[in-house]
């Protein structure tokens, strides 16, 4: 079989007499001249890199954990075929660890005057904006001995959104909401709800719901049925201070808080309530207001995508003042923050009355399941000490929660997996009790 390209050149050099390899001018010229000529020809026949045209298209957003495809269209305007290796550089967090080499490097051949498309598949490991870096192209000649190399810029941004893993709980919470809303046989009666209809009295009904005027007009006792009020205002307040940076499992506490906020927002918007978002530590990090029910969830997801914990102590006084400005009328304020004793006692408690006088306040906090496991540990001295430390931490947390409850705050304290459904249940309980 005939050899071509680099293999043919190496075979020809290997067949030269031994004398040609001696360090003499005659031998050097005899060997290097064919090689230099071959390299020069190979370099001359390589397609130029600077004149290449590059454009991008594809996905502009992706949920964390999913894949995004970004297509790069490369046009070869020269008269020479392009034989190239291409590296499409993105930030390291754009891929799963160990997959960048295979995902970002491509081989392609583009005939003269034609174009080709290549697709880079991203699988980001962090939220936020991922921006494309430079594109490095190495154009080879037909022998593969020499290459031209250059870089291009083709800007593109992919926004990595929160995964919203708690959406799996939404159908069950909506079923409960339909019961509260009077669409099934279960009807809620109580203060602060809207009148729905009249029906016949059955044993066990609250006598305060009897409509005496309607009863006087008919032969049976009539009772009023109610449904939860609609068009209530809910302000979700995300604490993005240093305590939100603490990792529980594989993610910061802030991520679990955002997931719980998204489930509550989806549920409340279906209930006809208005939902706003405030992210705050020492200044406003995100603010979403005045969105319709159909637009609120995409707006919240987009605003949360770029949020990161700030390693500063949250200004509780500033947070309360900003929340009051954002919600001038009576609202449900949902604080997604910590239950650690120091930030609550020194920061939140002194300003809590400003919020509870005008609004209903619900505080949700991420608990560490490792603490629960430590409290159950037994067997050796180290395990007993760990259990004692965990029990003390749990006791302080329960004491802090009880302080908040004495101030009229509803407290939800749950692990990352349970926080979202627990917060949704607390919202439904407040709605059922007519406290919204």
């Amino acid at each position: 079989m005939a050899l071509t390209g680099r293999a043919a050149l190496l075979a020809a050099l290997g067949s030269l007499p031994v004398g040609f390899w001696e360090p003499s001018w005659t031998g050097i010229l005899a060997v290097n001249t064919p090689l230099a000529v071959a390299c020069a020809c190979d370099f001359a026949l390589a397609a130029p890199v600077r004149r290449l045209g590059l454009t991008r298209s594809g996905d502009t957003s992706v949920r964390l954990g999913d894949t995004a495809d970004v297509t790069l269209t490369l046009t070869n305007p020269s008269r020479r075929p392009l034989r190239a290796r291409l590296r499409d550089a993105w930030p390291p967090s754009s891929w799963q660890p160990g997959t960048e080499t295979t995902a970002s490097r491509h081989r392609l051949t583009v005939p003269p005057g034609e174009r080709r498309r290549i697709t880079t598949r991203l699988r980001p490991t962090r939220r936020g904006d991922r921006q494309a870096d430079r594109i490095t192209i190495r154009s080879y000649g037909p022998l593969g001995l020499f290459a031209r190399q250059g870089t291009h810029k083709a800007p593109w941004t992919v926004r990595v959104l929160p995964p919203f893993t708690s959406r799996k709980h939404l159908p069950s919470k909506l079923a409960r909401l339909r019961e509260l809303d009077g669409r099934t046989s279960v009807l809620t009666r109580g203060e602060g709800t809207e009148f729905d209809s009249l029906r016949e009295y059955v044993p066990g009904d609250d006598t305060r719901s009897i409509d005496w005027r309607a009863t006087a007009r008919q032969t049976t006792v009539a009772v009023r049925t109610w449904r939860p009020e609609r068009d209530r205002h809910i302000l979700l307040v995300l604490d993005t201070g240093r305590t939100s940076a603490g990792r529980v499992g594989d993610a910061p506490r802030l991520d679990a808080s955002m997931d719980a906020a998204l489930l509550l927002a989806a549920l409340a918007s279906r209930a006809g309530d208005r939902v706003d978002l405030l992210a705050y530590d020492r200044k406003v990090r995100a603010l979403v207001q005045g969105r319709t029910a159909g637009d609120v969830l995409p707006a919240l997801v987009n605003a949360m995508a770029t949020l990161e914990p700030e390693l500063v102590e949250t200004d509780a006084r500033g947070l309360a003042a900003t929340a009051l400005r954002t919600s001038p009328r009576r609202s449900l304020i949902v604080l997604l923050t910590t239950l650690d004793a120091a930030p609550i006692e020194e920061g939140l408690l002194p300003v809590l009355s400003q919020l509870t006088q005008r609004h209903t306040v619900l505080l949700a906090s991420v608990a560490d399941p490792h603490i629960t496991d430590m409290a159950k540990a037994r067997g050796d001295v180290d395990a007993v000490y760990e259990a004692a430390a965990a029990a003390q931490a749990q006791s302080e947390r329960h004491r802090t929660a009880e302080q908040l409850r004495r101030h009229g705050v509803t407290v939800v304290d749950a692990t990352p997996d349970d926080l979202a459904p627990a917060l949704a249940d607390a919202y439904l309980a407040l709605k059922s009790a007519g406290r919204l």
Side-chain angles (χ1 to χ4, degrees):
M1 182 176 65
L3 298 176
T4 59
R6 185 185 304 179
L9 179 60
L10 293 177
L13 293 175
S15 63
L16 292 174
V18 177
F20 277 81
W21 294 96
E22 295 177 355
S24 63
W25 287 108
T26 304
I28 292 174
L29 291 175
V31 174
N32 290 345
T33 300
L35 180 60
V37 172
C39 291
C41 293
D42 200 44
F43 180 78
L45 294 174
V49 174
R50 293 183 179 179
R51 296 172 55 193
L52 297 175
L54 295 103
T55 57
R56 289 191 187 272
S57 60
D59 297 330
T60 56
S61 63
V62 62
R63 289 195 181 277
L64 183 64
D66 293 341
T67 58
D69 291 337
V70 179
T71 300
L72 184 66
T73 302
L74 190 148
T75 304
N76 178 18
S78 70
R79 297 181 181 180
R80 306 169 207 163
L82 174 67
R83 308 170 187 86
R85 292 183 181 180
L86 181 147
R87 179 175 182 263
D88 189 5
W90 290 75
S93 58
S94 301
W95 290 280
Q96 296 291 329
T99 64
E100 178 182 358
T101 300
T102 56
S104 63
R105 288 167 170 78
H106 308 271
R107 287 177 177 267
L108 72 161
T109 301
V110 185
E114 296 189 14
R115 66 182 63 181
R116 291 291 184 271
R117 292 185 177 89
I118 57 173
T119 299
T120 300
R121 175 157 292 181
L122 309 178
R123 192 179 180 87
T125 58
R126 292 180 58 187
R127 291 180 294 99
D129 290 339
R130 298 292 169 268
Q131 296 180 346
D133 200 353
R134 65 190 65 187
I135 301 167
T136 304
I137 303 172
R138 185 172 291 174
S139 172
Y140 291 91
L143 298 178
L145 297 173
F146 260 69
R148 303 171 185 263
Q149 180 170 308
T151 59
H152 289 263
K153 288 282 190 179
W156 194 260
T157 301
V158 175
R159 173 156 290 188
V160 187
L161 308 173
F164 193 14
T165 55
S166 63
R167 62 179 178 271
K168 61 187 177 184
H169 299 290
L170 187 58
S172 63
K173 304 308 175 187
L174 289 175
R176 175 61 180 153
L177 177 64
R178 285 192 292 270
E179 292 178 357
L180 296 178
D181 215 12
R183 298 192 189 115
T184 64
S185 58
V186 179
L187 291 171
T188 302
R189 298 180 299 279
E191 259 181 74
T193 54
E194 295 178 349
F195 173 74
D196 183 63
S197 61
L198 295 171
R199 64 169 175 82
E200 185 178 348
Y201 174 86
V202 296
D205 282 338
D206 189 346
T207 55
R208 292 176 298 178
S209 297
I210 296 176
D211 190 319
W212 296 108
R213 291 185 178 181
T215 300
R217 293 193 297 267
Q218 57 189 33
T219 58
T220 59
V221 178
V223 296
R224 294 184 293 270
T225 61
W226 310 82
R227 64 181 181 185
E229 294 182 2
R230 291 176 173 271
D231 200 30
R232 303 295 91 185
H233 179 242
I234 299 173
L235 177 63
L236 303 173
V237 182
L238 282 174
D239 180 358
T240 56
R242 64 167 184 84
T243 56
S244 67
R247 300 187 72 86
V248 178
D250 295 331
R253 282 186 167 89
L254 180 61
D255 285 31
S257 297
M258 289 193 299
D259 193 55
L262 288 174
L263 179 63
L264 179 56
L267 181 62
S269 62
R270 297 286 187 90
D273 293 334
R274 295 172 289 111
V275 181
D276 292 339
L277 170 72
L278 170 66
Y280 190 94
D281 42 70
R282 287 188 173 274
K283 65 179 182 179
V284 176
R285 301 292 177 178
L287 182 62
V288 177
Q289 287 182 290
R291 300 303 179 103
T292 62
D295 295 336
V296 65
L297 199 59
L300 293 184
V301 170
N302 192 60
M304 291 178 181
T306 56
L307 286 178
E308 294 292 344
E310 300 292 332
L311 300 182
V312 297
E313 195 71 39
T314 299
D315 178 11
R317 193 172 300 277
L319 186 150
T322 306
L324 291 172
R325 287 197 303 270
T326 307
S327 302
R329 297 182 179 179
R330 183 168 183 81
S331 309
L332 170 63
I333 295 182
V334 181
L335 291 173
L336 293 122
T337 184
T338 182
L339 261 181
D340 294 345
I344 294 294
E345 294 175 358
E346 298 174 10
L348 184 60
L349 283 179
V351 299
L352 190 59
S353 60
Q354 301 176 21
L355 298 175
T356 55
Q357 286 176 359
R358 190 184 304 177
H359 305 290
T360 301
V361 180
L362 192 162
L363 186 145
S365 181
V366 183
D368 191 344
H370 183 59
I371 300 297
T372 304
D373 295 337
M374 287 174 57
K376 299 176 182 177
R378 297 294 186 274
D380 55 24
V381 175
D382 291 340
V384 171
Y385 275 110
E386 288 183 358
Q392 182 179 3
Q394 289 177 330
S395 176
E396 291 179 354
R397 197 173 181 90
H398 293 159
R399 186 170 61 251
T400 303
E402 193 57 36
Q403 282 184 292
L404 292 169
R405 292 189 181 100
R406 287 198 296 268
H407 285 78
V409 178
T410 301
V411 179
V412 175
D413 185 21
T415 60
D417 292 338
D418 298 330
L419 182 64
L423 181 58
D425 288 340
Y427 162 77
L428 292 174
L430 290 173
K431 208 166 185 64
S432 175
R435 293 182 58 189
L436 298 187

